[in-house]
Structure formats: structure tokens, C-alpha cells
């Protein structure tokens, strides 16, 4: 009997396989173990954020397909916690267990051009873009898109890696060389009012649920502070959720999907990018919602009914990047002295500037208060007690 004939509901007690082993897999594993599931994680690394809390950590290359098959044979369902998993890996896993979301979803969303073309084809709003395969293409694209613009690698980019902002035509040659890729996309630079995201889930039965609109502030292209609910007009909220549901259905996602948007100054929404998995902007759901994005992912891929997504209270999340460690070990007790603040650390040994090491969340009576508290708690972590410019300053 193939897994395709198996029972639709994967009951607690079963083992879930996670491709990837970072903090998203860690929080997923914590949610899964709380509900009585076992978790196996697979990645090239060991002593990983996910491995530390999983039942079993497989350390092997994604290209080692025999190992991938062996891994999939031992689990009831496979999911992933980051997009850069090769297609062949997913195909090999699919021989022995359902992969949710599917390999097709991963294939579309792990490549900016494929993703944008998919979104355009289905009538979803995206930032104007052009495909770029050479320096000549880049000059033509600049002619069409105008400047300023942002040049991004088509594959394997995240957190602003593999991106260059172009402000004048003379920047083109250097930017193209710096990217060192043969496939890129040039996007119009959006003078946005703000950035928001919608995290939504679709179950095996096609039912959907969303966590509302979350406001995101980035520093150096990396998410810095998220706040829910976002302070956007109700029509923007409705439209953002409508688009997110449309994308979930068009892609046929079973699992969680994040849609990141730019909100233009006239209120128009443009999709920046998709992530077919729990997302950094949804970390605040762990403490702030009835069901977290991680439990929702678990419920969806196991064929369980989705959980309630209601916010318990306004909530904010501040990322803790490796930069914070540069002046010494952060003063954890100073952040814990804020009684409504929750500390999440990912178990990473090595801190590096820009590396996501953990986050704080705070709940309060208003989104503004939640943001103020979480930023104050993060500032208190600095060993010197000093508050300097970004990324530790307050945000709008
Ligand atoms: P990305 O990795 O594409 O999500 O980009 C990271 C961040 O860079 C975004 O969240 C924005 O803050 C900024 N950014 C990326 N693309 C653009 C754009 N076309 N216009 C303005 N800002 C951008």
C-alpha cells in the first residue's frame, strides 16, 4: 500500500519529518511534541536549533537521495522549514511519504521569477519587474522599469542577501557583477507606506484560516519588529486576507503560507514575496494567538481541523540578531524583568552580525504599547545598557 492510500488524518503519536533544521523547525517541533507527535529533522548540520528539540536529527546532504528516502520511510508526513530544498530531494521523499506543502509549491516559491510569473498569471498584484540574464538585459530592464530599482538573484536569496539597489544607470555593471548570477530580476523600488504580511493556512479539506494583518519593520533588509494587529484601514486588511486566500488556493497549499506585502501610499497592496511555511513575522503567534502558526502548520499537514487564530491581546515581536552579542553576552535577566515579555532563543552556538539568534515578544493593551515594551526589553539586553541607532532603536 502506498502512502497515497493511507489514512487522511495523521494522529498524535505519529512521526513528522522536517526538511531543514533552523528556528522555524525548532518552534514547529516544540508545537508538535506538545501535541504528542514525534519529530525527525534532516539537514547537513548537527546540534541544530531543530535537532536539539527533535526526537531524531539526521545529518546528511540534501543531495544524498538514499538517505532522504530512508528518512521519509520513517515518518508519516514530510514538511520543510525553509525553501532552498532541491526539487530532487522533495521528489525522493515523496516516494515514501506525502510532502506538505507539495514539491510544486516549493518549486514555484523558491525562485523569484517563477513566483512572480505565477502571481501575474493568476492576477495577483506584484511590484513591476523584468527578468535579467545579462548586463544587456539589465540596461533594457532599467529602461522599462526606471530608477531607483532593486536587482535580486532569482534563486537562493533571503533577508536581503543577493540584492542591490540601483539609483543611477552607472551602478548597473557593478551591481550585476556583485550578484554573480546568471538569472536575476529587476524590480521597481517601491516608496511604500509600510510593509505588512498575512499568514494563513489551508487544511487538507481546503478550509482556510488567517492570523490577520501583521505590521513589519525591516532594518538592513532584515525583519526587525513585527506588530499585530497592524494599523491599516479595514479595506486594506480585507484585501490582504482575500489575496492570501487566493494565493493559497491557486497554489493548492496544504500548510501555512506567508504573503509579504508592500502597502503603497495610496493604500494599494503589492506582493513582495511568498513563503510556503511559518514566517518570522508570525513568531508573535506563538505567545499571542490561540493557535500558533507552528501548530497550524502541524494541524494542516496532519489533516486535523485548523485551530482558532484569534489574538489573545495586541502583541509585538523583536528579533535578536547576532549583532547584540558583539559587546558581550546579553543581559537576559534585564529583559525578563519585563513581566509581559517572553524570551525565545534558538540554541545557536555562534553569533554573527545579522544572524537570527532569538526573539522577544510582548503583549499589551495596545499594539503601540506592545511595540514599545518589546523594544525597551531588547534595549535592556545590551550589556552596556546603551541604546544606539538601528537595529535597536524604536520603530514607527
Ligand atoms: P526581500 O528579501 O525581497 O523580502 O527584501 C527584504 C526587504 O528589502 C523588504 O522587506 C523591503 O524592506 C526591502 N525591499 C525589497 N525589495 C524592495 C523594493 N522593490 N522596493 C523597496 N524595498 C524593497
Amino acid at each position: 500500500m502506498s502512502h497515497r492510500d493511507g489514512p487522511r488524518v495523521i494522529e498524535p503519536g505519529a512521526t513528522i519529518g522536517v526538511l531543514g533544521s533552523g528556528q522555524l523547525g525548532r518552534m514547529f517541533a516544540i508545537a508538535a511534541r506538545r501535541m504528542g507527535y514525534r519529530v525527525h529533522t534532516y539537514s547537513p548540520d548537527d546540534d541544530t536549533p531543530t535537532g536539539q528539540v527533535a526526537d531524531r536529527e539526521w545529518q546528511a546532504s540534501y543531495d544524498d537521495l538514499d538517505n532522504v528516502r530512508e528518512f521519509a520511510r520513517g515518518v508519516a508526513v514530510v514538511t520543510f522549514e525553509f525553501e532552498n530544498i532541491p526539487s530532487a530531494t522533495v521528489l525522493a521523499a515523496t516516494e515514501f511519504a506525502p510532502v506538505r506543502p507539495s514539491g510544486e509549491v516549493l518549486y514555484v516559491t523558491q525562485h523569484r521569477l517563477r513566483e512572480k510569473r505565477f502571481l501575474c498569471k493568476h492576477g495577483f498584484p506584484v511590484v513591476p519587474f523584468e527578468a535579467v540574464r545579462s548586463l544587456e538585459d539589465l540596461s533594457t530592464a532599467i529602461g522599462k522599469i526606471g530608477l531607483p530599482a532593486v536587482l535580486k538573484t532569482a534563486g537562493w536569496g533571503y533577508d536581503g542577501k543577493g540584492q542591490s539597489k540601483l539609483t543611477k544607470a552607472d551602478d548597473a555593471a557593478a551591481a550585476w557583477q556583485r550578484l554573480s548570477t546568471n538569472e536575476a530580476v529587476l524590480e521597481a523600488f517601491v516608496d511604500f507606506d509600510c510593509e505588512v504580511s498575512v499568514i494563513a493556512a489551508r487544511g487538507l479539506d481546503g478550509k482556510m484560516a488567517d492570523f490577520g494583518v501583521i505590521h513589519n519593520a525591516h532594518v538592513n533588509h532584515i525583519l526587525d519588529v513585527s506588530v499585530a494587529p497592524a494599523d491599516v484601514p479595514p479595506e486594506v486588511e480585507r484585501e490582504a486576507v482575500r489575496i492570501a486566500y487566493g494565493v493559497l488556493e491557486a497554489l493548492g497549499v496544504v500548510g501555512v503560507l506567508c504573503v509579504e506585502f508592500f502597502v503603497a501610499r495610496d493604500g494599494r497592496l503589492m506582493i513582495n514575496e511568498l513563503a510556503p511555511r511559518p514566517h518570522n513575522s508570525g513568531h508573535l503567534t506563538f505567545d499571542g494567538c490561540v493557535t500558533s502558526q507552528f501548530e497550524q502548520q502541524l494541524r494542516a499537514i496532519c489533516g486535523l481541523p485548523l485551530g482558532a487564530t484569534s489574538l489573545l491581546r495586541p502583541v509585538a515581536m523583536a528579533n535578536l540578531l547576532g549583532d547584540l552579542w558583539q559587546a558581550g553576552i546579553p543581559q537576559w535577566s534585564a529583559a525578563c524583568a519585563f513581566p509581559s515579555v517572553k524570551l525565545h532563543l534558538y540554541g545557536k552556538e555562534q553569533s554573527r552580525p545579522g544572524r537570527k539568534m532569538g526573539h522577544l515578544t510582548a503583549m499589551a493593551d495596545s499594539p503601540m504599547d506592545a511595540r514599545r515594551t518589546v523594544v525597551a526589553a531588547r534595549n535592556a539586553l545590551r550589556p552596556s545598557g546603551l541604546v544606539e541607532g538601528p537595529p535597536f532603536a524604536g520603530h514607527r
Side-chain angles (χ1 to χ4, degrees), residues 129-360:
F129 72 96
E130 289 289 328
V132 174
R133 290 197 173 76
S134 64
L135 185 54
E136 294 75 62
D137 280 1
L138 181 54
S139 307
T140 315
I142 291 173
K144 290 187 185 160
I145 301 270
L147 292 171
V150 186
L151 183 65
K152 302 179 177 180
T153 51
W156 316 113
Y158 65 99
D159 284 347
K161 291 189 174 67
Q163 301 196 7
S164 259
K165 184 177 173 189
L166 308 184
T167 48
K168 49 187 194 316
D170 288 353
D171 298 342
W176 178 246
Q177 205 171 20
R178 217 172 22 247
L179 226 53
S180 68
T181 182
N182 50 18
E183 202 171 29
V185 49
L186 187 74
E187 278 179 26
F189 182 80
V190 183
D191 177 29
F192 52 76
D193 177 53
C194 65
E195 291 184 81
V196 299
S197 55
V198 173
I199 294 167
R202 184 166 171 275
L204 256 187
D205 57 3
K207 291 211 174 104
M208 296 189 279
D210 67 276
F211 292 92
V213 179
I214 300 168
H215 178 277
N216 302 316
H218 293 77
V219 171
N220 298 331
H221 304 278
I222 302 178
L223 183 62
D224 185 42
V225 173
S226 291
V227 180
D231 181 18
V232 291
E235 61 276 14
V236 172
E237 181 174 354
R238 274 196 300 275
E239 179 64 0
V241 171
R242 189 189 69 79
I243 291 172
Y245 282 10
V247 174
L248 273 172
E249 286 202 313
L251 276 170
V253 173
V254 172
V256 165
L257 173 94
C258 175
V259 186
E260 290 185 78
F261 295 96
F262 296 126
V263 186
R265 298 198 180 272
D266 61 4
R268 252 178 333 117
L269 287 162
M270 278 170 275
I271 298 178
N272 173 26
E273 62 179 0
L274 308 177
R277 51 162 173 79
H279 187 259
N280 194 167
S281 62
H283 289 0
L284 48 73
T285 62
F286 213 137
D287 300 310
C289 293
V290 174
T291 307
S292 73
Q293 61 170 350
F294 304 102
E295 182 181 330
Q296 201 73 304
Q297 168 90 348
L298 176 75
R299 285 170 173 252
I301 65 170
C302 289
L304 292 170
L306 299 180
T309 50
S310 354
L311 267 184
L312 300 170
R313 288 177 79 195
V315 58
M317 184 270 339
N319 268 337
L320 304 178
L321 302 185
D323 311 54
L324 187 59
W325 274 248
Q326 300 309 297
I329 301 294
Q331 292 183 336
W332 303 120
S333 56
C336 294
F338 290 74
S340 65
V341 166
K342 298 284 182 195
L343 170 65
H344 298 250
L345 289 173
Y346 308 147
K348 297 181 184 177
E349 275 286 311
Q350 299 295 325
S351 63
R352 280 192 306 276
R355 188 170 199 214
K356 290 173 179 170
M357 303 293 289
H359 66 268
L360 300 174

